Amino acid sequence: PPEHTFSPDFERKMKKLLRRGRHPILYRALRAAACFLLVLLLSGCAVLAISPAAREAFAGWVRSVYYDTLVYTYTGPEGKAPENMLYRPLWLPEGYEVYDESANLSLPIASYRNEAGEDITLITYGSVESMSLSIVQEEDVVEKQVLVAGKKADLYLDSGGGSSFLIWTDDGQHLMFVLMGHFTEKEALRIAESVRLMPLRTPPHRPGWIPEGYVCGGYTGTKTSFQIHYDREDGASIYFRYEEDGSLQEELQETLEGLTFETVQVDGQTARLYTDAESVRHLTWDGSKPGSDYWLSGSLSAEELIRIAESVGKQQE
């Protein structure tokens, strides 16, 4: 093919894309997209009626039908959940624990998982957003009109093993909530009735100091294996990861292979500081528990990374 000179803007975008592909922690924008695709693709979970009665449950939300797709858009005052705050349920069926909570996204999510690997996820749609769900007409799905906080809501129960949906609105905040997962009608209503706006929850031994301008965007995982990210308005991010089972060492070796490192001190403990081709620094050190590891990365100076690392577990609740 003929040679072509790409523009500097294109080259910068490609470098950013490659950097994201190599990064061990998924970017939150991709997480939002994955969550959105999950809504689209879950089998038997998106059966929405087109009857006037169903529309009454979504005051302020206008629904349009395009062949087999429904698109919800909002025509009214703008509504959006505050930053570093998250709508999440105070009650869940026994056995479910926090798996993922992300507040600073176009689609804030709170996800919970049990030992069987089943998820219950709450997604909050701001009134400036639009959403689309593929309509899957299946015999196993039963549609019901129910009440959440005294207001009409749509419940779609899947008895065939797929995820069920409960959709309702908060007219005061101009928000729409989508609860999906494996639950009974009684459980779905109890979960929905318990939803409250609360500060974003993060693990106890997270960094206590972050450079000015960064805000916590949420975390993924459990108490013994998780990752947190902090974002800045210009798109810069800091990632902090913790593992207790020793699995992080293998990933570190694979991701940082070929990079040179220097030895530094974190609270008197030996740590390794790597710098990749994109000037992103990675700081790794051992946790206090046997087999546990920390991994901190971002486009920061070595001094800033060390200061963050030394603040881990020293924050005030």
Side-chain angles (χ1 to χ4, degrees), residues 11 24 30 61 78 85 106 173 213 275 310:
E11 294 287 357
L30 296 181
W61 292 82
E78 179 178 333
M85 301 287 284
S106 57
Q173 298 297 324
T275 304
E310 291 184 338

Side-chain angles (χ1 to χ4, degrees), residues 201-220:
R201 178 168 46 198
T202 52
H205 49 119
R206 63 190 185 275
W209 178 86
I210 292 292
E212 186 176 355
Y214 288 90
V215 294
C216 181
Y219 81 96
T220 302

Side-chain angles (χ1 to χ4, degrees), residues 92-93 96 110-112 118-122 179-183 191:
L92 287 165
Y96 281 89
S111 186
Y112 308 87
E118 297 174 331
D119 292 342
I120 291 179
T121 300
L122 176 68
L179 180 70
M180 61 182 180
H182 295 80
F183 41 66
I191 294 171

Side-chain angles (χ1 to χ4, degrees), residues 186-302:
K186 183 178 180 180
E187 289 173 334
L189 295 178
R190 185 172 178 182
I191 294 171
E193 294 278 3
S194 74
V195 169
R196 299 290 187 274
L197 180 63
M198 294 177 284
L200 183 64
R201 178 168 46 198
T202 52
H205 49 119
R206 63 190 185 275
W209 178 86
I210 292 292
E212 186 176 355
Y214 288 90
V215 294
C216 181
Y219 81 96
T220 302
T222 65
K223 294 179 180 179
T224 59
S225 174
F226 63 84
Q227 59 192 28
I228 311 174
H229 71 101
Y230 302 86
D231 304 318
R232 202 169 58 188
E233 288 186 357
D234 61 2
S237 296
I238 300 170
Y239 297 91
F240 173 76
R241 186 166 173 181
Y242 173 74
E243 299 279 353
E244 284 190 6
D245 58 7
S247 61
L248 188 56
Q249 281 297 325
E250 182 178 348
E251 188 173 341
L252 283 169
Q253 292 175 4
E254 180 180 346
T255 304
L256 304 178
E257 184 179 4
L259 298 181
T260 59
F261 68 89
E262 59 178 302
T263 301
V264 296
Q265 295 292 309
V266 173
D267 277 336
Q269 176 184 352
T270 300
R272 289 186 172 188
L273 180 64
Y274 300 79
T275 304
D276 63 24
E278 300 296 329
S279 298
V280 176
R281 290 187 172 87
H282 306 268
L283 182 64
T284 68
W285 70 102
D286 294 335
S288 57
K289 293 185 178 181
S292 63
D293 300 285
Y294 292 109
W295 183 359
L296 180 65
S297 63
S299 298
L300 301 171
S301 67

Side-chain angles (χ1 to χ4, degrees), residues 149-162:
K151 297 180 180 179
K152 293 182 179 180
D154 289 341
L155 176 63
Y156 306 94
L157 288 174
D158 191 327
S159 60

Side-chain angles (χ1 to χ4, degrees), residues 79-96:
K80 190 176 181 181
E83 289 188 357
N84 295 319
M85 301 287 284
L86 185 68
Y87 282 95
R88 63 172 182 254
L90 296 177
W91 181 87
L92 287 165
E94 186 176 355
Y96 281 89

